[in-house]
Amino acid sequence: MKAILHAKNVNKIYGTKGNQYKALENIDLEIKEGEFIGIMGPSGAGKSTLLNILSTIDTPTSGEITIAEQNIVTMKEEQLSDFRRNKLGFIFQDYNLLDTLTVRENILLPLALSKVPAKEIQNRVEKIADTFGIREILDKYPYHISGGQKQRTAASRAIVTNPSLILADEPTGALDSKSATDLLESLTALNEQNHSTIMMVTHDAFAASFCKRILFIKDGRIYAEIHKLQQSRQEFFQKILDVLASLGGDNK
Ligand SMILES: Nc1ncnc2c1ncn2[C@@H]1O[C@H](COP(=O)(O)OP(=O)(O)O)[C@@H](O)[C@H]1O
Ligand SMILES: [Mg+2]
């Protein structure tokens, strides 16, 4: 499988001279097409900083990053907004749905902005709604659906454009355990059936156990990496807990 993301020697320093803080140090990372990768680590480790840089929301102080063969570090703001819309899908903890639009309209919004034909929009929305189990609520408004359904709507919107890379920051953070499991199973289906590439930041070992590979970050550096091989999810979950214990910190 070819790599969808290359990051080389990425550094991020916050603050100004005399009052500097190194949030990321010499991060090297490669994500291959079809991976489901998790990022874990204690509070303040640099997880969100890394995600924000890879999602082009923030810029690194130094280092090289290419995503889908494009150099995102040197890209101009105008190109970046097209790049984000066409190549990336975002899933955040707070769903960011538009309350005046139905679930269906929320999901198809990115396609409408890209002027995709109506028939094609219809097909894609229904296919994704099936993957996430929300076909029955397509014509409801956000205030009539549950938190779990909102998050699955937000996830559907994030992937409706077939992004090269899906980025999720604590997507299960606001969900009860049943809704979290539903979302994680949908993301797994998306990864396995659609070969979508997913990177998920989480402090939750249960959520992380759905990933195929996990990077642990501590003090802005990659501390450990584990792969789910032939293990069951339960075995992988145990392994994650072991690494977290060796990491120390509160893992939030
Ligand atoms: N805009 C900023 N200015 C200064 N320091 C920041 C900024 N954003 C994050 N930091 C610091 O960088 C470190 C990493 O933060 P963050 O990436 O949010 O960690 P995590 O998501 O792993 O909890 C923390 O010590 C945080 O205080
Ligand atoms: Mg964070």
Side-chain angles (χ1 to χ4, degrees):
M1 277 293 180
K2 70 173 207 249
I4 201 79
L5 180 148
H6 294 272
K8 201 158 181 283
N9 208 5
V10 171
N11 290 278
K12 178 68 178 180
I13 300 170
Y14 285 118
T16 48
K17 275 209 169 78
N19 185 26
Q20 292 193 329
Y21 182 82
K22 224 174 196 178
L24 292 178
E25 212 173 335
N26 300 334
I27 298 283
D28 288 327
L29 170 62
E30 198 175 274
I31 300 180
K32 293 201 168 63
E33 249 173 38
E35 277 207 271
F36 187 179
I37 181 170
I39 308 287
M40 298 194 82
S43 181
K47 303 183 295 294
S48 294
T49 301
L50 178 63
L51 191 104
N52 290 342
I53 289 174
L54 297 180
S55 60
T56 77
I57 291 165
D58 199 357
T59 51
T61 307
S62 63
E64 295 163 29
I65 303 169
T66 59
I67 299 177
E69 279 152 17
Q70 301 202 52
N71 182 335
I72 63 157
V73 179
T74 55
M75 236 185 253
K76 302 252 180 340
E77 188 48 48
E78 199 183 291
Q79 294 170 286
L80 276 177
S81 58
D82 283 347
F83 179 81
R84 267 179 226 130
R85 197 171 66 223
N86 296 321
K87 302 287 180 187
L88 303 179
F90 297 96
I91 309 173
F92 296 107
Q93 181 170 338
D94 43 18
Y95 325 107
N96 281 327
L97 297 179
L98 297 173
D99 289 331
T100 54
L101 300 183
T102 63
V103 166
R104 182 193 305 278
E105 290 163 344
N106 266 284
I107 297 171
L108 64 77
L109 192 58
L111 293 180
L113 291 173
S114 299
K115 303 203 166 51
V116 174
K119 186 76 198 155
E120 159 111 27
I121 290 183
Q122 180 91 346
N123 290 342
R124 279 213 236 167
V125 168
E126 293 192 353
K127 182 162 175 272
I128 286 165
D130 285 341
T131 303
F132 282 93
I134 53 171
R135 197 186 253 265
E136 280 68 46
I137 58 160
L138 279 175
D139 295 311
K140 293 194 173 175
Y141 286 88
Y143 53 85
H144 280 142
I145 64 178
S146 70
Q149 291 171 327
K150 282 182 192 165
Q151 188 56 302
R152 282 182 275 147
T153 302
S156 300
R157 181 189 51 190
I159 62 141
V160 78
T161 56
N162 278 326
S164 302
L165 179 63
I166 297 164
L167 297 153
D169 196 353
E170 302 282 2
T172 59
L175 302 181
D176 61 73
S177 67
K178 164 79 169 70
S179 302
T181 305
D182 286 346
L183 179 73
L184 292 161
E185 284 175 349
S186 302
L187 291 177
T188 301
L190 199 65
N191 171 248
E192 288 177 356
Q193 289 155 29
N194 226 30
H195 307 289
S196 300
T197 313
I198 306 173
M199 175 175 148
M200 175 171 79
V201 167
T202 182
H203 72 273
D204 179 32
F206 173 75
S209 70
F210 285 79
C211 299
K212 305 280 159 54
R213 169 161 77 116
I214 300 173
L215 290 182
F216 295 85
I217 300 185
K218 187 179 184 182
D219 299 332
R221 289 171 166 274
I222 294 175
Y223 168 90
E225 175 176 346
I226 59 174
H227 291 257
K228 188 197 267 165
L229 300 168
Q230 305 306 324
Q231 298 154 305
S232 67
R233 202 179 52 67
Q234 283 70 19
E235 288 167 323
F236 197 48
F237 176 70
Q238 260 315 313
K239 199 163 163 191
I240 294 166
L241 293 181
D242 291 345
V243 179
L244 289 177
S246 77
L247 258 169
D250 62 356
N251 294 309
K252 286 249 168 69

